[in-house]
């Protein structure tokens, strides 16, 4: 475990950079494609086929749980519970890791741990406030993250285009 955490330390990340970042980007694009096209479509079809959307005012995971329970019984509900737990735990771990890496890059390696403390504090705060308030805070945080993401996307677009053209021309030859 120590070897893994040492390998992920910001000071060691430069040693692990890929030789083909365009290929890594293309591979990374598979995740959202699989999630959106396969998982979300299958969930929507299960909700539509089960018909629970017509007789229920539920939404989100509750509607999905009702649909899979109607179609598959208790095993369907178990699948939803397992998937929800896995999604929530991995999301918390991922946001903590990526956030601390970004904070380390922006504010120095020593400040990465400060981000983890703030992140942990918000988890505690979110567990005691109302669900609507917690969701509003999350929505505000996502909206604020869109600003630097869009700015950096526009600034890096010419470099990404040049790298992609170079990669695909080398791939063709």
């Amino acid at each position: 475990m120590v070897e893994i955490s040492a390998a992920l330390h910001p000071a060691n990340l430069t040693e692990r950079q890929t030789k083909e970042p365009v290929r890594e980007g293309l591979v990374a694009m598979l995740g959202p494609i699989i999630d959106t096209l396969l998982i979300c479509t299958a969930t929507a079809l299960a909700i539509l086929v089960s018909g629970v959307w017509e007789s229920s005012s539920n939404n989100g995971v509750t509607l999905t749980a009702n649909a899979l329970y109607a179609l598959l019984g208790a095993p369907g509900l178990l699948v939803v519970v397992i998937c929800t737990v896995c999604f929530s735990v991995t999301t918390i771990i991922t946001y903590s890791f990526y956030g601390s890496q970004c904070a380390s890059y922006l504010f120095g390696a020593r400040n990465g741990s400060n981000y983890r403390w703030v992140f942990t504090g918000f988890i505690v705060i979110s567990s005691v406030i109302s669900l609507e308030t917690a969701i509003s805070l999350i929505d505000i945080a996502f909206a604020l993250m869109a600003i630097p993401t869009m700015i950096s996307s526009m600034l890096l677009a010419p470099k990404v285009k040049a790298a992609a053209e170079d990669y695909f021309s080398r791939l063709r030859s």
Side-chain angles (χ1 to χ4, degrees):
M1 188 67 165
V2 174
E3 294 169 3
I4 293 173
S5 62
L8 295 176
H9 192 272
N12 298 331
L13 285 180
T14 55
E15 299 169 9
R16 298 178 53 241
Q17 289 181 350
T18 179
K19 291 179 176 58
E20 293 291 349
V22 173
R23 183 182 62 217
E24 294 296 319
L26 292 170
V27 171
M29 288 171 28
L30 287 175
I33 290 171
I34 291 169
D35 181 44
T36 303
L37 292 178
L38 296 178
I39 305 300
C40 291
T41 301
T43 303
L45 289 174
I47 291 170
L48 292 173
V49 169
S50 70
V52 296
W53 61 277
E54 296 175 315
S55 61
S56 174
S57 63
N58 294 328
N59 58 25
V61 73
T62 307
L63 184 63
T64 304
N66 289 340
L68 289 180
Y69 183 75
L71 293 173
L72 304 172
L77 190 58
L78 184 63
V79 167
V80 173
V81 169
I82 290 170
C83 288
T84 303
V85 169
C86 288
F87 174 75
S88 60
V89 169
T90 57
T91 298
I92 289 173
I93 292 169
T94 302
Y95 282 9
S96 173
F97 174 74
Y98 284 136
S100 67
Q101 294 301 307
C102 291
S104 295
Y105 177 78
L106 292 173
F107 307 116
R110 294 181 185 203
N111 291 317
S113 62
N114 293 338
Y115 171 84
R116 287 188 290 273
W117 283 108
V118 170
F119 185 83
T120 304
F122 273 108
I123 291 174
V124 172
I125 290 169
S126 295
S127 68
V128 295
I129 60 177
S130 71
L131 180 61
E132 293 80 22
T133 305
I135 290 173
S136 295
L137 286 173
I138 292 168
D139 288 344
I140 290 168
F142 282 158
L144 291 174
M145 285 189 291
I147 296 167
T149 300
M150 293 306 295
I151 292 170
S152 63
S153 295
M154 289 186 285
L155 292 174
L156 291 174
K159 292 181 180 184
V160 171
K161 182 179 178 188
E165 287 173 352
D166 175 57
Y167 174 75
F168 288 120
S169 67
R170 285 186 290 118
L171 196 62
R172 280 186 221 110
S173 57

